[in-house]
C-alpha cells in the first residue's frame, strides 16, 4: 500500500493512518504474525463481472462455523497479528459477522471490514462503530450505471452510497476501494469529485490482481501507458486536495512500483522530497507486496494461503492446525521463497535499481501471466531507463 498523500507531503512512509494492519511493515518481527485477510464467506449479494471467487447469493457448504471462527480469532490474537481484514464475498452476509468483529475487538485484535457497502443500514453502521471497527472499506467501480454494470446489480451504486453515508453519520471511519481497469479509469476524476462532495476520508486505488493460478487473460486490464496516465491523474488530484487543505488519505495498492513512479514524478519540482520518499524502503530492505511475509490469507473453508490472490498455494487448514503453527513452519517452498524473494527474482525485476524499494512488485501477477512466482511483474510500467537497464536520455 502506497500513501500518495504522504509522498506528496514529502514524508517517509510510516504506519498507516487508518486501519490497523492495512499497511504492514515489509517484514514484521519474528514474534509477530502477519496481517490476515480473512474471507469469512464466499456468499455475495452482487454479481461482479470481475469476481475472483464466482460468488453468488446462495449458501456455500463447508464455511467455518461461529465456534470455529472464535478459535481462529483466539489464535490470531495470541499470535499478535497487527490486524485482521474481514472480507468475502460480502462479509455482512454472515449472520454472525458483527459478533465476530466484537469478539475480535474484545480479544485485542484490530478489525477492518472490506465490503460492498450495500448491506450497511443505519443500525449496522452504529453497531460497527460500537464494536470498534477501525475502518470500513467500501468497493465501488465508478458512479451510477458504470458501477452497476460491473457489479451486476441495478441500484448497487445507490445502496453503496447509502452505506457510506450511514457510516459517516455514525462517526465510523469509512473510505472507497476502487480498482483501476479500462472500464473504470475514465471515472477517476468523477471519483475524486465524489470523495470531496461526500466528505469521504479515504480512497484506495487498486491495480488489478486475480485469485486463480495459471495463465489468466484479462481483457479489461489497463495497458502500461494507460496505467501511467491513470497514476498521473491520481497524483494531480491528490496534490490538488493538499493544495486546498483537504485532509484526504489517497492510497494505491497491489503495485509497489507506484512509490518509485510517484517519487520520480515529484523529482523535477523537488528532488530532495523525492529522495526522502524513497529513503525508508531502502533503509528497511525490500518493501514487498507482503505475500508470505507481512500478509496472510484464510479463506471461507479455513484454508491458509500466502495471499488472497495466491489461492493456488495452500499451506494448511485452521481446522487441522492453528494459523500460527501453519505460518511459523515456513516449510512450504513458496512461503520460504517469498521470505527471500529478492535473491530469487529474474528478468527486469532482478536488474532493477529500485529492487530494494519495490521488492519485485506483485508476485501473484507473475504466476498468473508466466506461471513463475519469481518472474518479473508483468504490470511494472516503469521504463528500462527509469529502472536503470538503459542509460537515461539527457
Amino acid at each position: 500500500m502506497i500513501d500518495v498523500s504522504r509522498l506528496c507531503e514529502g514524508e517517509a512512509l510510516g504506519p498507516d493512518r487508518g486501519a490497523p494492519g492495512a499497511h504492514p511493515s515489509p517484514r514484521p518481527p519474528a514474534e509477530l504474525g502477519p496481517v490476515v485477510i480473512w474471507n469469512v464467506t464466499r456468499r455475495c449479494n452482487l454479481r461482479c463481472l470481475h469476481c475472483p471467487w464466482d460468488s453468488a447469493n446462495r449458501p456455500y457448504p463447508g464455511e467455518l462455523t461461529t465456534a470455529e471462527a472464535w478459535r481462529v480469532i483466539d489464535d490470531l490474537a495470541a499470535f499478535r497479528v497487527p490486524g485482521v481484514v474481514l472480507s468475502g464475498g460480502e462479509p455482512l452476509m454472515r449472520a454472525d459477522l458483527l459478533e465476530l468483529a466484537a469478539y475480535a475487538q474484545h480479544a485485542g485484535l484490530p478489525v477492518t471490514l472490506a465490503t460492498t457497502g450495500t448491506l450497511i443500514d443505519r443500525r449496522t453502521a452504529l453497531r460497527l462503530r460500537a464494536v470498534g471497527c477501525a475502518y470500513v472499506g467500501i468497493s465501488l467501480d465508478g458512479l451510477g450505471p458504470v458501477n452497476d454494470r460491473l457489479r451486476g446489480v441495478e441500484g448497487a451504486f445507490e445502496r453503496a452510497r447509502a452505506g457510506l453515508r450511514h457510516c459517516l453519520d455514525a462517526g465510523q471511519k469509512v473510505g472507497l476501494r476502487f480498482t483501476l481497469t479500462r472500464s473504470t479509469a475514465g471515472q477517476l476524476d468523477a471519483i475524486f469529485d465524489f470523495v470531496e462532495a461526500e466528505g469521504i476520508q479515504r480512497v484506495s486505488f487498486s491495480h488489478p490482481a486475480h485469485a486463480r493460478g495459471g495463465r489468466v487473460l484479462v481483457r479489461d486490464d489497463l495497458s502500461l501507458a494507460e496505467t501511467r496516465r491513470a497514476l498521473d491523474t491520481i497524483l494531480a488530484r491528490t496534490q490538488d486536495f493538499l493544495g486546498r487543505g483537504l485532509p484526504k488519505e489517497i492510497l494505491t495498492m497491489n503495485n509497489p512500483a507506484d512509490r518509485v513512479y510517484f517519487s520520480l514524478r515529484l523529482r523535477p519540482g523537488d528532488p530532495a522530497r523525492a529522495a526522502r520518499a524513497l529513503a525508508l524502503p531502502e533503509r528497511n530492505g525490500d518493501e514487498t507486496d507482503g505475500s508470505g511475509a507481512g500478509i496472510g490469507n484464510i479463506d471461507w473453508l479455513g484454508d491458509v494461503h500466502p495471499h488472497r490472490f495466491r489461492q493456488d498455494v495452500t499451506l494448511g487448514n485452521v481446522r487441522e492446525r492453528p494459523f500460527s503453527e501453519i505460518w511459523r513452519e515456513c516449510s512450504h517452498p513458496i512461503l520460504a521463497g517469498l521470505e527471500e524473494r529478492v535473491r530469487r527474482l529474474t528478468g527486469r525485476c532482478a536488474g532493477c535499481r529500485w529492487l530494494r524499494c519495490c521488492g519485485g512488485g506483485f508476485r501473484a501477477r507473475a504466476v498468473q501471466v508466466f506461471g513463475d512466482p519469481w518472474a518479473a511483474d508483468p504490470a511494472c510500467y516503469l521504463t528500462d531507463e527509469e529502472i536503470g537497464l538503459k542509460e537515461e536520455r539527457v
Side-chain angles (χ1 to χ4, degrees), residues 112-127:
T112 66
L113 184 67
T115 173
T116 66
T118 56
L119 299 180
I120 300 178
D121 55 17
R122 181 177 181 276
R123 181 172 179 269
T124 301
L126 289 169
R127 291 184 66 193

Side-chain angles (χ1 to χ4, degrees), residues 98 124-133 136 167 169-173:
L98 290 169
T124 301
L126 289 169
R127 291 184 66 193
L128 286 167
R129 174 69 186 275
V131 302
C133 184
V136 174
C167 287
D169 290 343
Q172 170 62 59
K173 184 167 185 178

Side-chain angles (χ1 to χ4, degrees), residues 1 9 30 82 134 196 272 285 354:
M1 181 180 293
E9 292 166 352
E196 181 174 355
W354 309 113

Side-chain angles (χ1 to χ4, degrees), residues 80 90 92 105 114 178 212 215 255 309 349 358 373:
R80 297 178 60 204
E90 170 47 63
L92 286 168
Q105 181 68 18
F178 182 95
R212 295 184 183 83
R215 297 179 183 274
N255 199 330
F309 294 117
C349 287
C358 167

Side-chain angles (χ1 to χ4, degrees), residues 264-331:
L264 293 177
R265 295 287 289 158
L266 290 167
R267 178 177 288 175
D270 190 342
R273 176 175 293 181
R276 285 197 302 272
L278 292 168
L280 185 62
E282 291 283 3
R283 289 196 301 271
N284 287 355
D286 57 306
E287 181 177 274
T288 68
D289 65 54
S291 303
I295 297 177
N297 173 244
I298 304 172
D299 69 20
W300 50 86
L301 300 175
D303 287 333
V304 176
H305 310 282
H307 197 282
R308 66 191 177 111
F309 294 117
R310 288 303 309 273
Q311 303 292 303
D312 57 309
V313 177
T314 300
L315 308 173
N317 188 283
V318 296
R319 285 185 167 117
E320 299 168 1
R321 286 191 299 156
F323 177 91
S324 56
E325 287 187 13
I326 295 169
W327 201 258
R328 282 191 180 107
E329 190 177 70
C330 290
S331 62

Side-chain angles (χ1 to χ4, degrees), residues 61-131:
E63 294 186 352
L64 296 178
T65 66
T66 300
E68 289 171 330
W70 286 342
R71 288 195 291 272
V72 172
I73 291 169
D74 288 338
D75 176 58
L76 295 179
F79 196 25
R80 297 178 60 204
V81 305
V84 61
V85 180
L86 301 179
S87 185
E90 170 47 63
L92 286 168
M93 295 209 79
R94 268 195 75 123
D96 63 354
L97 189 281
L98 290 169
E99 180 183 352
L100 296 181
Y103 188 89
Q105 181 68 18
H106 181 72
L109 183 61
V111 172
T112 66
L113 184 67
T115 173
T116 66
T118 56
L119 299 180
I120 300 178
D121 55 17
R122 181 177 181 276
R123 181 172 179 269
T124 301
L126 289 169
R127 291 184 66 193
L128 286 167
R129 174 69 186 275
V131 302

Side-chain angles (χ1 to χ4, degrees), residues 26-46:
R27 195 171 303 279
E31 69 271 14
L32 297 180
V35 172
V36 174
I37 300 174
W38 186 359
N39 300 95
V40 293
T41 185
R42 183 177 172 186
R43 187 170 187 169
C44 187
N45 60 322
L46 301 185

